[in-house]
Amino acid sequence: MTSIDTLLSYPVVMMCGVSGAGKTFIARQLEAEGYERLSPDRIVWNRYGHAYAELSPAERHDIYMAAIDSLTARLPELIASGRRVVIDCSMCKRRRRDAVASICATAGISSVIAYLTAPREVLERRLSERGDTGPDDQTVSQTDLNRFLAGFEAPMPDEHFITVNSGL
């Protein structure tokens, strides 16, 4: 398993993985080390709370993507002010990861993708233990997990990533 110390050497860390993989667990560790944690889950929870789960998958997708866009738009300002940043979301599409990497490259800093993996049974167990009490504890249905797994684009060899097996 990759040490948190390895991630600390990067000014921008993109968490990457499906729900239940452990992204927020690692992101909180980075936050404790001084990183600004950007979380679309916080934005969504603060705006919709429990009602978010009642929306259609298409509505939830659009809302979540808009939340990610708003966080990505903040990134250049945070970088310019010298802040270290962890993006705490799935980053499940290559185009999103490439967009963040491009922002970082333009600013002259390095970034890394922390790719978290876990076996399906671990994901299911972790998700079943959630209590829907806040942005970092939202429940995820089996249907949604299946959809997330089917649409997830794992980092490719030409992307700068570190694999973190969080399912042990």
Side-chain angles (χ1 to χ4, degrees):
M1 184 169 199
T2 297
S3 164
I4 190 79
D5 293 333
T6 303
L7 299 175
L8 288 170
S9 65
Y10 294 92
V12 174
V13 177
M14 292 177 260
M15 304 311 297
C16 178
V18 298
S19 295
K23 300 177 302 295
T24 297
F25 179 80
I26 300 294
R28 283 181 178 158
Q29 291 179 20
L30 293 171
E31 186 177 35
E33 295 291 334
Y35 279 72
E36 173 97 15
R37 183 167 69 103
L38 302 180
S39 168
D41 289 330
R42 282 188 202 168
I43 292 171
V44 170
W45 183 265
N46 289 341
R47 185 160 183 203
Y48 296 93
H50 295 286
Y52 180 71
E54 303 304 318
L55 300 172
S56 73
E59 289 171 312
R60 284 184 283 141
H61 178 267
D62 290 347
I63 289 166
Y64 195 78
M65 292 302 109
I68 293 173
D69 288 342
S70 71
L71 295 178
T72 303
R74 291 187 54 214
L75 192 55
E77 175 188 334
L78 292 168
I79 291 169
S81 70
R83 295 298 309 256
R84 295 185 305 164
V85 177
V86 57
I87 302 171
D88 183 13
C89 69
S90 66
M91 296 302 278
C92 65
K93 299 295 182 192
R94 168 122 192 206
R95 64 180 167 73
R96 287 240 179 237
R97 298 188 299 266
D98 286 348
V100 170
S102 177
I103 290 169
C104 294
T106 298
I109 66 163
S110 60
S111 64
V112 68
I113 300 162
Y115 175 38
L116 280 78
T117 64
R120 183 183 180 103
E121 52 275 6
V122 171
L123 298 173
E124 289 174 348
R125 178 182 49 78
R126 288 177 180 166
L127 294 173
S128 72
E129 293 170 353
R130 289 187 177 178
D132 206 28
T133 61
D136 300 331
D137 189 43
Q138 294 180 57
T139 57
V140 175
S141 70
Q142 284 292 318
T143 300
D144 284 341
L145 178 59
N146 290 338
R147 190 170 44 83
F148 296 159
L149 288 168
F152 186 80
E153 296 174 4
M156 300 302 291
D158 64 327
E159 293 181 86
H160 185 70
F161 71 95
I162 297 169
T163 300
V164 180
N165 183 341
S166 67
L168 302 177

